Coordinates of all heavy atoms in Angstrom, one line a residue:
M13 N -154.7 54.1 63.3 CA -155.8 53.4 62.6 C -155.3 52.8 61.3 O -155.5 51.6 61.0 CB -156.9 54.4 62.3 CG -158.1 53.8 61.6 SD -159.3 53.2 62.7 CE -160.6 52.8 61.6
K14 N -154.7 53.6 60.4 CA -154.1 53.1 59.2 C -153.1 52.0 59.4 O -153.0 51.0 58.7 CB -153.6 54.2 58.3 CG -154.6 54.8 57.4 CD -153.9 55.7 56.4 CE -154.8 56.1 55.3 NZ -154.8 55.3 54.1
A15 N -152.3 52.2 60.4 CA -151.2 51.2 60.7 C -151.8 49.9 61.0 O -151.4 48.9 60.6 CB -150.3 51.7 61.9
N16 N -152.9 49.9 61.8 CA -153.6 48.6 62.2 C -154.1 47.9 60.9 O -153.9 46.7 60.8 CB -154.7 48.9 63.1 CG -154.3 49.3 64.5 OD1 -153.1 49.1 64.9 ND2 -155.2 50.0 65.2
L17 N -154.7 48.6 60.0 CA -155.1 48.0 58.8 C -154.0 47.4 58.0 O -154.1 46.3 57.5 CB -155.9 49.0 57.9 CG -156.4 48.5 56.6 CD1 -157.3 47.3 56.7 CD2 -157.2 49.7 55.9
F18 N -152.9 48.2 57.9 CA -151.7 47.7 57.1 C -151.2 46.4 57.7 O -150.9 45.4 57.0 CB -150.6 48.8 57.2 CG -149.4 48.4 56.4 CD1 -149.4 48.5 55.0 CD2 -148.3 48.0 57.0 CE1 -148.2 48.2 54.3 CE2 -147.1 47.6 56.3 CZ -147.1 47.7 54.9
Y19 N -151.1 46.4 59.1 CA -150.5 45.2 59.7 C -151.5 44.0 59.7 O -151.1 42.8 59.6 CB -150.1 45.5 61.1 CG -149.0 46.5 61.2 CD1 -149.0 47.6 62.0 CD2 -147.9 46.4 60.3 CE1 -148.0 48.6 62.0 CE2 -146.9 47.3 60.3 CZ -146.9 48.4 61.2 OH -145.9 49.3 61.2
D20 N -152.8 44.3 59.6 CA -153.8 43.2 59.4 C -153.7 42.6 58.0 O -153.8 41.4 57.8 CB -155.3 43.8 59.5 CG -155.7 44.1 61.0 OD1 -155.0 43.6 61.9 OD2 -156.7 44.8 61.2
I21 N -153.4 43.5 57.0 CA -153.2 43.0 55.7 C -151.9 42.1 55.7 O -151.9 41.0 55.1 CB -153.0 44.1 54.7 CG1 -154.3 44.9 54.5 CG2 -152.6 43.6 53.3 CD1 -154.2 46.3 53.8
A22 N -150.9 42.5 56.4 CA -149.6 41.7 56.4 C -149.9 40.4 57.1 O -149.4 39.4 56.6 CB -148.6 42.5 57.2
K23 N -150.7 40.3 58.1 CA -151.1 39.0 58.7 C -151.8 38.1 57.8 O -151.5 36.9 57.7 CB -151.9 39.3 60.0 CG -151.1 39.8 61.1 CD -152.0 40.1 62.3 CE -151.2 40.8 63.4 NZ -151.9 41.4 64.4
K24 N -152.7 38.7 57.0 CA -153.5 37.9 56.0 C -152.5 37.3 54.9 O -152.6 36.2 54.5 CB -154.6 38.7 55.4 CG -155.8 38.9 56.3 CD -156.8 39.7 55.6 CE -158.0 40.0 56.6 NZ -159.0 40.8 55.9
V25 N -151.6 38.2 54.5 CA -150.7 37.8 53.4 C -149.8 36.7 54.0 O -149.6 35.7 53.3 CB -149.8 39.0 52.9 CG1 -148.6 38.5 52.1 CG2 -150.7 40.0 52.2
A26 N -149.3 36.8 55.2 CA -148.5 35.8 55.8 C -149.2 34.5 55.9 O -148.7 33.4 55.6 CB -148.0 36.3 57.2
K27 N -150.5 34.6 56.4 CA -151.3 33.3 56.5 C -151.5 32.6 55.2 O -151.3 31.4 55.1 CB -152.6 33.7 57.1 CG -153.6 32.6 57.3 CD -154.9 33.0 57.8 CE -155.9 31.9 57.8 NZ -157.2 32.3 58.3
H28 N -151.8 33.4 54.1 CA -152.1 32.7 52.9 C -151.0 32.4 52.0 O -151.1 31.8 50.9 CB -153.2 33.6 52.1 CG -154.5 33.6 52.9 ND1 -155.3 32.5 53.1 CD2 -155.1 34.6 53.5 CE1 -156.4 32.8 53.8 NE2 -156.3 34.1 54.1
T29 N -149.8 32.9 52.3 CA -148.6 32.6 51.6 C -147.6 31.7 52.3 O -146.6 31.3 51.8 CB -147.8 33.9 51.2 OG1 -147.4 34.6 52.4 CG2 -148.6 34.8 50.3
A30 N -148.0 31.4 53.6 CA -147.2 30.5 54.4 C -145.8 31.1 54.6 O -144.8 30.4 54.7 CB -147.1 29.1 53.9
V31 N -145.7 32.4 54.7 CA -144.5 33.1 55.0 C -144.7 33.8 56.3 O -145.7 34.5 56.5 CB -144.1 34.1 53.9 CG1 -143.0 35.0 54.3 CG2 -143.9 33.4 52.6
A32 N -143.7 33.7 57.2 CA -143.8 34.4 58.5 C -143.9 35.9 58.3 O -143.2 36.4 57.5 CB -142.6 34.0 59.4
E33 N -144.7 36.5 59.1 CA -144.9 38.0 59.0 C -143.5 38.7 59.1 O -143.2 39.6 58.4 CB -145.9 38.5 60.0 CG -146.2 39.9 59.9 CD -147.3 40.4 60.8 OE1 -147.9 39.5 61.5 OE2 -147.4 41.6 61.0
K34 N -142.7 38.3 60.1 CA -141.4 38.9 60.3 C -140.5 38.8 59.0 O -139.7 39.7 58.7 CB -140.7 38.4 61.5 CG -140.2 36.9 61.4 CD -139.4 36.5 62.6 CE -138.9 35.1 62.5 NZ -137.9 34.9 61.4
D35 N -140.7 37.7 58.3 CA -139.9 37.5 57.0 C -140.4 38.4 55.9 O -139.6 38.8 55.0 CB -140.0 36.0 56.6 CG -139.2 35.1 57.6 OD1 -138.3 35.6 58.3 OD2 -139.5 33.9 57.6
I36 N -141.7 38.8 55.9 CA -142.2 39.7 54.9 C -141.4 41.0 55.0 O -141.1 41.7 54.1 CB -143.7 39.9 55.1 CG1 -144.4 38.6 54.7 CG2 -144.2 41.1 54.2 CD1 -145.9 38.7 54.9
F37 N -141.1 41.4 56.3 CA -140.5 42.7 56.5 C -138.9 42.6 56.6 O -138.3 43.4 57.2 CB -141.0 43.3 57.8 CG -142.5 43.7 57.7 CD1 -143.5 42.9 58.3 CD2 -142.8 44.8 57.0 CE1 -144.8 43.3 58.2 CE2 -144.2 45.2 56.8 CZ -145.2 44.4 57.4
S38 N -138.4 41.5 56.0 CA -136.9 41.3 56.0 C -136.5 41.8 54.6 O -137.3 42.1 53.7 CB -136.6 39.9 56.1 OG -136.9 39.1 55.0
L39 N -135.2 42.0 54.5 CA -134.6 42.4 53.2 C -134.3 41.3 52.3 O -133.7 41.4 51.2 CB -133.4 43.3 53.4 CG -133.6 44.7 54.0 CD1 -132.3 45.3 54.3 CD2 -134.4 45.5 53.0
S40 N -134.7 40.1 52.7 CA -134.4 38.9 51.9 C -134.9 39.0 50.5 O -136.0 39.5 50.3 CB -134.9 37.6 52.6 OG -134.8 36.5 51.7
R41 N -134.1 38.5 49.5 CA -134.6 38.5 48.1 C -135.0 37.1 47.7 O -135.2 36.9 46.5 CB -133.5 39.0 47.3 CG -133.2 40.5 47.6 CD -132.0 41.0 46.9 NE -132.3 41.4 45.6 CZ -131.5 41.9 44.7 NH1 -130.2 42.1 45.1 NH2 -131.8 42.2 43.5
V42 N -135.1 36.2 48.6 CA -135.6 34.8 48.3 C -137.0 35.0 47.7 O -137.9 35.7 48.3 CB -135.6 33.9 49.5 CG1 -136.2 32.6 49.3 CG2 -134.1 33.8 50.0
Q43 N -137.3 34.3 46.6 CA -138.5 34.6 45.9 C -139.8 34.4 46.7 O -140.7 35.3 46.7 CB -138.7 33.7 44.7 CG -139.9 34.1 43.8 CD -139.8 33.6 42.4 OE1 -138.9 33.0 42.0 NE2 -140.8 34.0 41.7
P44 N -140.0 33.4 47.5 CA -141.3 33.3 48.3 C -141.5 34.5 49.2 O -142.6 35.0 49.4 CB -141.2 32.0 49.1 CG -140.2 31.2 48.3 CD -139.2 32.2 47.7
L45 N -140.4 35.0 49.8 CA -140.4 36.2 50.7 C -140.7 37.5 49.9 O -141.5 38.3 50.3 CB -139.2 36.3 51.5 CG -138.7 35.1 52.3 CD1 -137.5 35.4 53.2 CD2 -139.9 34.5 53.2
S46 N -140.0 37.6 48.8 CA -140.2 38.9 48.1 C -141.6 38.9 47.4 O -142.3 39.9 47.3 CB -139.1 39.1 47.0 OG -139.1 38.1 46.1
D47 N -142.1 37.7 47.0 CA -143.5 37.6 46.5 C -144.5 38.0 47.5 O -145.4 38.8 47.2 CB -143.8 36.2 46.0 CG -143.1 35.8 44.7 OD1 -142.6 36.7 44.0 OD2 -143.2 34.6 44.3
A48 N -144.3 37.5 48.8 CA -145.2 37.9 49.8 C -145.2 39.4 50.1 O -146.2 40.0 50.3 CB -144.9 37.1 51.1
R49 N -144.0 39.9 50.1 CA -143.8 41.4 50.3 C -144.4 42.2 49.2 O -145.2 43.2 49.5 CB -142.3 41.7 50.4 CG -141.9 43.0 50.9 CD -140.5 43.2 51.2 NE -139.5 42.5 50.4 CZ -138.8 41.4 50.7 NH1 -139.0 40.9 51.9 NH2 -138.0 40.9 49.9
H50 N -144.3 41.8 48.0 CA -144.9 42.5 46.9 C -146.4 42.3 47.0 O -147.1 43.3 46.6 CB -144.4 41.9 45.5 CG -143.0 42.1 45.3 ND1 -142.3 41.4 44.4 CD2 -142.1 43.0 45.8 CE1 -141.0 41.8 44.3 NE2 -140.9 42.8 45.2
L51 N -146.9 41.2 47.4 CA -148.4 41.0 47.6 C -148.9 42.0 48.6 O -149.9 42.6 48.5 CB -148.7 39.6 47.9 CG -150.1 39.2 48.2 CD1 -151.0 39.5 46.9 CD2 -150.2 37.8 48.5
L52 N -148.1 42.1 49.7 CA -148.5 43.1 50.8 C -148.6 44.5 50.2 O -149.6 45.2 50.4 CB -147.5 43.1 51.9 CG -147.6 44.2 52.9 CD1 -149.0 44.2 53.6 CD2 -146.5 44.1 53.9
F53 N -147.6 44.9 49.4 CA -147.6 46.2 48.8 C -148.8 46.4 47.9 O -149.5 47.4 47.9 CB -146.3 46.5 48.0 CG -145.1 46.5 48.8 CD1 -143.8 46.3 48.2 CD2 -145.1 46.6 50.2 CE1 -142.7 46.2 48.9 CE2 -143.9 46.6 50.9 CZ -142.7 46.4 50.3
Y54 N -149.1 45.4 47.1 CA -150.3 45.4 46.2 C -151.6 45.6 46.9 O -152.4 46.4 46.6 CB -150.3 44.2 45.3 CG -151.5 44.1 44.4 CD1 -151.5 44.8 43.1 CD2 -152.6 43.5 44.7 CE1 -152.6 44.8 42.3 CE2 -153.7 43.4 43.9 CZ -153.7 44.1 42.7 OH -154.8 44.1 41.9
M55 N -151.7 44.7 48.0 CA -153.0 44.7 48.7 C -153.1 46.1 49.5 O -154.2 46.6 49.5 CB -153.0 43.6 49.7 CG -153.0 42.2 49.1 SD -154.5 41.9 48.2 CE -155.7 41.9 49.5
A56 N -152.1 46.6 50.0 CA -152.1 47.9 50.7 C -152.5 49.0 49.7 O -153.3 49.9 50.0 CB -150.8 48.2 51.4
D57 N -151.9 49.0 48.5 CA -152.2 49.9 47.5 C -153.6 49.9 47.1 O -154.3 50.9 47.0 CB -151.3 49.7 46.3 CG -151.5 50.6 45.1 OD1 -151.2 51.8 45.2 OD2 -152.1 50.2 44.1
R58 N -154.2 48.7 47.0 CA -155.6 48.5 46.7 C -156.5 49.0 47.7 O -157.6 49.5 47.4 CB -155.8 47.0 46.5 CG -156.9 46.6 45.5 CD -156.9 45.2 45.2 NE -157.9 44.5 46.1 CZ -158.3 43.3 45.8 NH1 -157.9 42.6 44.8 NH2 -159.2 42.8 46.6
E59 N -156.0 49.1 49.0 CA -156.8 49.6 50.1 C -156.6 51.1 50.2 O -157.2 51.7 51.1 CB -156.4 49.0 51.4 CG -156.9 47.5 51.6 CD -158.4 47.4 51.7 OE1 -159.0 48.3 52.3 OE2 -158.9 46.4 51.2
G60 N -155.9 51.7 49.3 CA -155.7 53.2 49.3 C -154.5 53.7 50.0 O -154.4 54.9 50.1
F61 N -153.6 52.9 50.4 CA -152.3 53.3 51.0 C -151.4 53.9 49.9 O -151.2 53.3 48.9 CB -151.6 52.2 51.7 CG -152.2 51.7 53.0 CD1 -153.3 50.8 53.0 CD2 -151.8 52.2 54.2 CE1 -153.8 50.4 54.1 CE2 -152.3 51.8 55.4 CZ -153.4 50.9 55.3
T62 N -150.8 55.0 50.2 CA -149.8 55.6 49.3 C -148.5 54.9 49.6 O -148.3 54.2 50.6 CB -149.6 57.1 49.6 OG1 -149.1 57.3 50.9 CG2 -150.9 57.9 49.4
S63 N -147.6 55.1 48.6 CA -146.3 54.4 48.9 C -145.6 55.0 50.1 O -144.8 54.3 50.8 CB -145.4 54.6 47.6 OG -145.1 55.9 47.3
G64 N -145.9 56.3 50.4 CA -145.3 56.9 51.6 C -145.8 56.2 52.9 O -145.0 55.9 53.8
Y65 N -147.1 55.8 53.0 CA -147.6 55.1 54.1 C -147.0 53.7 54.1 O -146.6 53.2 55.2 CB -149.1 55.0 54.1 CG -149.8 56.2 54.7 CD1 -150.6 57.0 53.9 CD2 -149.7 56.5 56.1 CE1 -151.3 58.0 54.5 CE2 -150.3 57.6 56.6 CZ -151.1 58.3 55.9 OH -151.8 59.4 56.4
I66 N -146.9 53.0 53.0 CA -146.4 51.7 52.9 C -144.9 51.7 53.4 O -144.5 50.9 54.2 CB -146.5 51.1 51.5 CG1 -148.0 50.9 51.1 CG2 -145.7 49.8 51.4 CD1 -148.2 50.6 49.7
K67 N -144.2 52.7 52.9 CA -142.8 52.8 53.4 C -142.7 53.1 54.9 O -141.9 52.4 55.5 CB -142.1 54.0 52.6 CG -140.7 54.3 53.0 CD -140.1 55.4 52.1 CE -138.8 55.9 52.5 NZ -137.8 54.8 52.7
R68 N -143.5 53.9 55.4 CA -143.4 54.3 56.8 C -143.8 53.1 57.7 O -143.1 52.7 58.6 CB -144.4 55.4 57.1 CG -144.4 55.8 58.6 CD -145.3 56.9 58.9 NE -145.3 58.0 58.0 CZ -146.3 58.8 57.7 NH1 -147.4 58.7 58.4 NH2 -146.2 59.8 56.8
F69 N -144.9 52.4 57.4 CA -145.3 51.3 58.2 C -144.4 50.1 58.0 O -144.2 49.3 59.0 CB -146.8 50.9 57.9 CG -147.8 51.9 58.2 CD1 -148.8 52.1 57.3 CD2 -147.6 52.8 59.3 CE1 -149.8 53.1 57.6 CE2 -148.5 53.8 59.6 CZ -149.6 54.0 58.7
S70 N -143.8 49.9 56.9 CA -142.8 48.8 56.7 C -141.5 49.2 57.5 O -140.9 48.3 58.1 CB -142.4 48.7 55.2 OG -143.5 48.3 54.5
A71 N -141.1 50.4 57.5 CA -139.9 50.8 58.3 C -140.1 50.6 59.8 O -139.2 50.2 60.5 CB -139.6 52.3 58.0
L72 N -141.4 50.8 60.3 CA -141.6 50.5 61.7 C -141.4 49.0 62.0 O -141.2 48.7 63.2 CB -143.0 51.0 62.0 CG -143.3 52.5 62.1 CD1 -144.7 52.8 62.3 CD2 -142.4 53.1 63.1
K73 N -141.5 48.2 61.1 CA -141.3 46.7 61.3 C -139.9 46.3 60.9 O -139.6 45.1 60.8 CB -142.3 45.9 60.5 CG -143.7 46.0 61.0 CD -143.9 45.1 62.2 CE -145.3 45.0 62.6 NZ -145.5 44.0 63.6
G74 N -139.0 47.3 60.5 CA -137.6 47.0 60.2 C -137.3 46.9 58.7 O -136.1 46.7 58.4
L75 N -138.2 47.2 57.9 CA -137.9 47.1 56.4 C -137.8 48.5 55.9 O -138.8 49.2 55.7 CB -139.1 46.4 55.7 CG -138.9 46.3 54.2 CD1 -137.7 45.5 53.8 CD2 -140.1 45.6 53.5
D76 N -136.6 48.9 55.6 CA -136.3 50.3 55.0 C -136.3 50.1 53.5 O -135.3 49.5 53.0 CB -135.0 50.8 55.6 CG -134.8 52.3 55.1 OD1 -135.8 52.9 54.7 OD2 -133.6 52.7 55.0
I77 N -137.3 50.5 52.9 CA -137.5 50.2 51.4 C -137.8 51.5 50.7 O -138.4 52.4 51.2 CB -138.6 49.1 51.2 CG1 -138.5 48.6 49.8 CG2 -139.9 49.7 51.6 CD1 -139.2 47.3 49.6
H78 N -137.3 51.6 49.5 CA -137.4 52.8 48.6 C -138.8 52.8 47.9 O -139.3 51.7 47.6 CB -136.3 52.8 47.6 CG -136.2 54.2 47.0 ND1 -136.8 54.5 45.8 CD2 -135.4 55.3 47.3 CE1 -136.5 55.7 45.5 NE2 -135.7 56.2 46.4
H79 N -139.3 53.9 47.6 CA -140.6 54.1 46.9 C -140.6 53.3 45.6 O -141.6 52.7 45.2 CB -140.9 55.5 46.6 CG -141.2 56.3 47.9 ND1 -142.4 56.3 48.5 CD2 -140.4 57.2 48.6 CE1 -142.4 57.1 49.5 NE2 -141.2 57.6 49.6
S80 N -139.5 53.3 44.9 CA -139.4 52.6 43.6 C -139.5 51.1 43.8 O -140.1 50.5 42.9 CB -138.1 53.0 42.8 OG -137.0 52.5 43.6
S81 N -139.1 50.6 44.9 CA -139.2 49.1 45.1 C -140.6 48.8 45.4 O -141.1 47.7 45.0 CB -138.3 48.7 46.3 OG -136.9 48.9 45.9
I82 N -141.3 49.7 46.1 CA -142.7 49.5 46.4 C -143.5 49.5 45.1 O -144.4 48.6 44.9 CB -143.2 50.6 47.4 CG1 -142.6 50.4 48.7 CG2 -144.8 50.5 47.5 CD1 -142.7 51.5 49.7
K83 N -143.3 50.5 44.3 CA -144.0 50.6 43.0 C -143.7 49.3 42.1 O -144.6 48.8 41.5 CB -143.5 51.8 42.2 CG -144.0 51.9 40.8 CD -145.0 53.0 40.6 CE -145.4 53.3 39.2 NZ -146.3 52.3 38.6
Y84 N -142.4 48.9 42.1 CA -142.1 47.7 41.4 C -142.9 46.5 41.8 O -143.4 45.7 41.0 CB -140.6 47.4 41.5 CG -140.2 46.0 40.9 CD1 -140.0 45.9 39.5 CD2 -140.1 44.9 41.7 CE1 -139.7 44.7 39.0 CE2 -139.8 43.7 41.2 CZ -139.6 43.6 39.8 OH -139.3 42.3 39.3
G85 N -143.0 46.3 43.1 CA -143.8 45.2 43.7 C -145.2 45.2 43.3 O -145.8 44.2 43.0
I86 N -145.8 46.4 43.4 CA -147.2 46.6 43.0 C -147.4 46.3 41.6 O -148.3 45.5 41.2 CB -147.7 48.0 43.3 CG1 -147.7 48.3 44.9 CG2 -149.1 48.3 42.7 CD1 -147.8 49.8 45.2
D87 N -146.6 46.8 40.7 CA -146.7 46.5 39.3 C -146.5 45.1 38.9 O -147.1 44.5 38.1 CB -145.7 47.4 38.5 CG -146.0 48.9 38.6 OD1 -147.2 49.2 39.0 OD2 -145.2 49.7 38.2
K88 N -145.5 44.4 39.7 CA -145.3 43.0 39.4 C -146.5 42.2 39.7 O -146.9 41.3 38.9 CB -144.1 42.5 40.2 CG -143.7 41.1 40.0 CD -142.6 40.6 40.9 CE -142.4 39.1 40.8 NZ -141.4 38.6 41.8
V89 N -147.1 42.4 40.8 CA -148.3 41.6 41.2 C -149.4 41.9 40.2 O -150.1 41.0 39.8 CB -148.7 41.9 42.6 CG1 -150.1 41.2 42.9 CG2 -147.7 41.4 43.6
A90 N -149.6 43.1 39.8 CA -150.7 43.5 38.9 C -150.5 42.7 37.6 O -151.4 42.2 36.9 CB -150.7 45.0 38.6
T91 N -149.2 42.6 37.1 CA -148.9 41.9 35.9 C -149.2 40.4 36.1 O -149.8 39.7 35.2 CB -147.5 42.1 35.5 OG1 -147.3 43.5 35.2 CG2 -147.1 41.3 34.2
L92 N -148.7 39.8 37.2 CA -149.0 38.4 37.5 C -150.4 38.0 37.5 O -150.8 36.9 37.1 CB -148.3 38.0 38.8 CG -146.7 37.9 38.7 CD1 -146.2 37.8 40.1 CD2 -146.3 36.8 37.8
L93 N -151.3 39.0 38.0 CA -152.7 38.7 38.1 C -153.3 38.5 36.8 O -154.3 37.7 36.7 CB -153.4 39.9 38.8 CG -153.2 40.0 40.3 CD1 -153.8 41.2 40.9 CD2 -153.8 38.8 41.0
R94 N -152.8 39.1 35.7 CA -153.3 38.9 34.4 C -153.1 37.5 33.8 O -153.8 37.0 33.0 CB -152.7 39.9 33.5 CG -153.3 41.3 33.7 CD -152.9 42.2 32.6 NE -152.0 43.2 33.3 CZ -151.0 43.8 32.8 NH1 -150.6 43.6 31.6 NH2 -150.3 44.7 33.5
Y95 N -152.0 36.8 34.3 CA -151.6 35.6 33.7 C -151.6 34.4 34.6 O -151.5 33.3 34.1 CB -150.1 35.8 33.1 CG -150.0 36.9 32.2 CD1 -149.4 38.1 32.6 CD2 -150.5 36.9 30.9 CE1 -149.3 39.2 31.7 CE2 -150.4 37.9 30.0 CZ -149.8 39.1 30.4 OH -149.7 40.1 29.6
D96 N -151.7 34.6 35.9 CA -151.5 33.4 36.8 C -152.7 33.3 37.7 O -153.0 34.1 38.6 CB -150.2 33.7 37.6 CG -149.8 32.5 38.4 OD1 -150.7 31.6 38.7 OD2 -148.6 32.3 38.7
K97 N -153.5 32.2 37.5 CA -154.7 32.0 38.3 C -154.4 31.9 39.8 O -155.2 32.3 40.6 CB -155.3 30.7 37.8 CG -156.6 30.3 38.5 CD -157.1 29.0 38.0 CE -158.3 28.6 38.8 NZ -158.9 27.3 38.4
R98 N -153.2 31.3 40.1 CA -152.8 31.1 41.5 C -152.8 32.5 42.3 O -153.2 32.6 43.4 CB -151.5 30.4 41.6 CG -151.0 30.1 43.0 CD -149.6 29.5 43.0 NE -148.6 30.4 42.6 CZ -147.9 31.1 43.4 NH1 -148.1 31.1 44.7 NH2 -146.9 31.9 42.9
W99 N -152.2 33.5 41.6 CA -152.2 34.8 42.2 C -153.6 35.4 42.4 O -153.8 36.0 43.4 CB -151.3 35.7 41.3 CG -149.8 35.5 41.6 CD1 -149.0 34.7 41.0 CD2 -149.1 36.2 42.6 NE1 -147.8 34.8 41.5 CE2 -147.8 35.7 42.5 CE3 -149.4 37.2 43.5 CZ2 -146.7 36.2 43.3 CZ3 -148.3 37.7 44.4 CH2 -147.1 37.1 44.3
R100 N -154.5 35.2 41.5 CA -155.8 35.7 41.6 C -156.5 35.0 42.8 O -157.2 35.6 43.6 CB -156.6 35.5 40.4 CG -156.2 36.4 39.2 CD -157.1 36.3 38.0 NE -157.2 35.0 37.4 CZ -156.4 34.6 36.4 NH1 -155.4 35.4 36.0 NH2 -156.6 33.4 35.8
E101 N -156.2 33.7 43.0 CA -156.8 33.0 44.1 C -156.3 33.5 45.5 O -157.0 33.7 46.4 CB -156.5 31.5 44.0 CG -157.3 30.8 42.9 CD -156.9 29.4 42.6 OE1 -155.8 29.0 43.2 OE2 -157.5 28.8 41.7
I102 N -155.0 33.8 45.5 CA -154.4 34.3 46.7 C -154.9 35.7 47.1 O -155.2 36.0 48.2 CB -152.8 34.3 46.6 CG1 -152.3 32.9 46.6 CG2 -152.2 35.1 47.8 CD1 -150.8 32.8 46.3
I103 N -155.1 36.5 46.1 CA -155.7 37.8 46.3 C -157.1 37.7 46.9 O -157.4 38.4 47.8 CB -155.7 38.7 45.0 CG1 -154.3 39.0 44.5 CG2 -156.6 39.9 45.1 CD1 -153.6 40.1 45.3
Q104 N -157.9 36.8 46.3 CA -159.2 36.6 46.9 C -159.2 36.2 48.3 O -160.0 36.6 49.1 CB -160.0 35.6 46.0 CG -160.4 36.2 44.7 CD -161.2 35.2 43.8 OE1 -161.0 34.0 44.0 NE2 -162.0 35.7 42.9
L105 N -158.3 35.3 48.6 CA -158.2 34.8 50.0 C -157.7 35.9 51.0 O -158.3 36.1 52.1 CB -157.2 33.6 50.1 CG -157.6 32.3 49.5 CD1 -156.4 31.3 49.5 CD2 -158.8 31.7 50.3
C106 N -156.8 36.7 50.5 CA -156.3 37.8 51.4 C -157.3 38.9 51.5 O -157.3 39.7 52.5 CB -155.0 38.4 50.8 SG -153.6 37.3 50.9
A107 N -158.2 39.1 50.6 CA -159.2 40.1 50.6 C -160.4 39.8 51.5 O -161.1 40.7 51.9 CB -159.7 40.4 49.2
T108 N -160.5 38.6 52.0 CA -161.6 38.3 52.8 C -161.3 38.4 54.3 O -160.2 38.5 54.7 CB -162.1 36.8 52.6 OG1 -161.0 35.9 52.8 CG2 -162.6 36.7 51.2

């Protein structure tokens, strides 16, 4: 059940960031891909997912990521939301 919700969030993030879902779960450090990945972590955190669940469900899609990287992504998006209107708009689109 939780896995389905996590992957639904990933689909919404992919749709609204124009990044392929498979690329969100890659190790690429190219900014659009890492931004989408961080957004996924933020949205999942907002839905009540712990970093353990985020790590587990990401690993099932091929992304082996450390808890500290998940926390970094969540914090990065939270900071960007304070200063960047575009990020707030994307969050609203992904939340619907």
Side-chain angles (χ1 to χ4, degrees):
M13 179 90 173
K14 269 194 169 269
N16 291 338
L17 177 57
F18 182 79
Y19 299 130
D20 286 345
I21 295 168
K23 286 178 186 162
K24 288 180 182 180
V25 168
K27 177 182 175 184
H28 294 294
T29 60
V31 171
E33 188 178 345
K34 69 176 181 64
D35 291 335
I36 292 174
F37 295 104
S38 74
L39 288 173
S40 175
R41 296 172 79 179
V42 174
Q43 188 163 0
L45 304 184
S46 64
D47 284 349
R49 190 166 39 253
H50 294 160
L51 180 58
L52 169 61
F53 298 160
Y54 176 85
M55 295 295 297
D57 178 71
R58 209 169 98 164
E59 287 292 326
F61 286 84
T62 63
S63 62
Y65 275 117
I66 294 170
K67 179 178 174 49
R68 182 182 315 156
F69 297 143
S70 295
L72 290 173
K73 290 284 190 170
L75 178 63
D76 185 24
I77 193 159
H78 194 271
H79 292 280
S80 62
S81 297
I82 294 168
K83 172 111 173 75
Y84 171 81
I86 293 167
D87 292 346
K88 179 182 174 188
V89 173
T91 299
L92 288 169
L93 286 172
R94 285 188 247 147
Y95 304 106
D96 191 333
K97 180 181 176 184
R98 182 182 69 94
W99 277 89
R100 290 190 296 274
E101 291 169 354
I102 292 171
I103 292 286
Q104 286 180 335
L105 289 170
C106 290
T108 59

